[in-house]
Every structure is written in C-alpha cells, then in structure tokens.
Amino acid sequence: MYALMVVIILLLKSKEVKVNTMMFSIKWSTDDIKRNAVLVVVRIDRSDIARPRDVLENGLTDGRCEIYLNSYYPVDYKLVLTENGGRVFLRFCSADDGAGMGIARFNLRDVWTDTGDDGTCDVVSLYGEDMFFIQLIAGGPFRSSTERSTLKEIVKG
C-alpha cells in the first residue's frame, strides 16, 4: 500500500508523466489559450504598414489583402482585409485559420503610427469604428515560425 502511494505521488509530481487530473486539464487549457489567442508581441513588416492605409483610401483591387505577422509564440498570424458594403473589414487570425472566425474582427477606420512615418515608427495601431484597436510593433520582414531560431540557437551561434 505504501509503495503504491509513493508511485502515485511520484506520478503526480513528475513533469514527464502527464496525469489527467482536473488541475492538469485546467493548466493544459490555459496554455492552449495562451498559444492561440493571447498575444505578447506581434510584429508587422515596415513595408506592409502602408497597405491597410492604401486599402482604406483606394479600396481593394483583388477583393482581399493578407498581411503576415511575426509573433513571440510559435503560431503565425495574419491580417485579412476585405471590403464589405464600401467599408474595409479587418480580421486578425492565425495564419492557418481556414474557418474565417479569427481572434478579432472589425470595420477598419484608421491606421495610426507613433511618429507619423512608416519608415521610422515603432508602434502601429489599427482602429475600428467603435475605437477598438490592435497595436502592432513595426519591425523586420515576416519569417514563418519554422524559419525562426530559438534563443538557445542564437546564443550558441
């Protein structure tokens, strides 16, 4: 009986063995939500900053515009711009989202940069009609999560 209790305690405390307890299920679910919905840093390529503004001013010629974004998480994201009744509809979603739901959806009203210049700005905000906004960091070109190096690989050189 004591040996069985020791084995159970070891299983519960071990990080290698996953025991399907209620706490494990809650932790697993919150980690899943963090990976897919809660963003720490999302970065847009400087050359893509003007695209939403151009779509607002001139409309879409192809009916759809996709802008791929880098993030801290191993999930790739994108902005999908479409026109709907004379308005520009923005959908923020993961790059492999085929359902069309997205994380955030709104009618795009304005594009704001902190310096007013796309080439030197650090922050880009995309505003909706009811002042809902998505804030992006301006940075380098898009690299998919499979192309990115981990911090450990960068340090090793």
Side-chain angles (χ1 to χ4, degrees):
M1 182 79 151
Y2 289 114
L4 183 59
M5 286 186 349
V6 169
V7 169
I8 290 173
I9 290 171
L10 289 174
L11 285 175
L12 290 173
K13 295 295 181 184
S14 173
K15 293 190 188 247
E16 286 80 30
V17 177
K18 295 179 178 150
V19 180
N20 199 7
T21 62
M22 182 180 285
M23 286 307 293
F24 175 77
S25 296
I26 291 171
K27 183 179 179 331
W28 185 263
S29 297
T30 54
D31 288 347
D32 192 36
I33 290 170
K34 283 180 188 176
R35 279 192 303 274
N36 293 314
V38 181
L39 308 176
V40 173
V41 175
V42 179
R43 190 175 66 216
I44 187 170
D45 185 359
R46 287 187 191 283
S47 64
D48 288 332
I49 295 171
R51 289 174 67 189
R53 192 175 299 120
D54 289 342
V55 170
L56 276 173
E57 293 172 1
N58 305 320
L60 286 167
T61 55
D62 298 335
R64 181 182 177 106
C65 174
E66 292 185 357
I67 302 170
Y68 287 88
L69 309 168
N70 287 316
S71 78
Y72 166 79
Y73 289 108
V75 178
D76 294 324
Y77 295 95
K78 67 181 174 182
L79 296 173
V80 179
L81 301 168
T82 55
E83 276 187 308
N84 185 8
R87 295 173 149 167
V88 177
F89 186 71
L90 181 137
R91 183 168 51 95
F92 179 79
C93 58
S94 65
D96 58 354
D97 180 13
M101 290 302 292
I103 297 168
R105 299 176 294 169
F106 56 90
N107 287 323
L108 185 62
R109 190 187 69 141
D110 193 19
V111 178
W112 176 86
T113 58
D114 61 341
T115 63
D117 178 36
D118 296 347
T120 60
C121 69
D122 293 323
V123 178
V124 179
S125 297
L126 305 170
Y127 285 91
E129 291 179 343
D130 51 357
M131 297 310 290
F132 178 82
F133 69 95
I134 294 175
Q135 199 165 44
L136 307 169
I137 306 298
F142 173 75
R143 288 178 34 195
S144 69
S145 59
T146 57
E147 297 173 343
R148 289 184 220 137
S149 302
T150 63
L151 182 60
K152 188 176 180 181
E153 292 170 346
I154 292 170
V155 170
K156 282 186 178 180

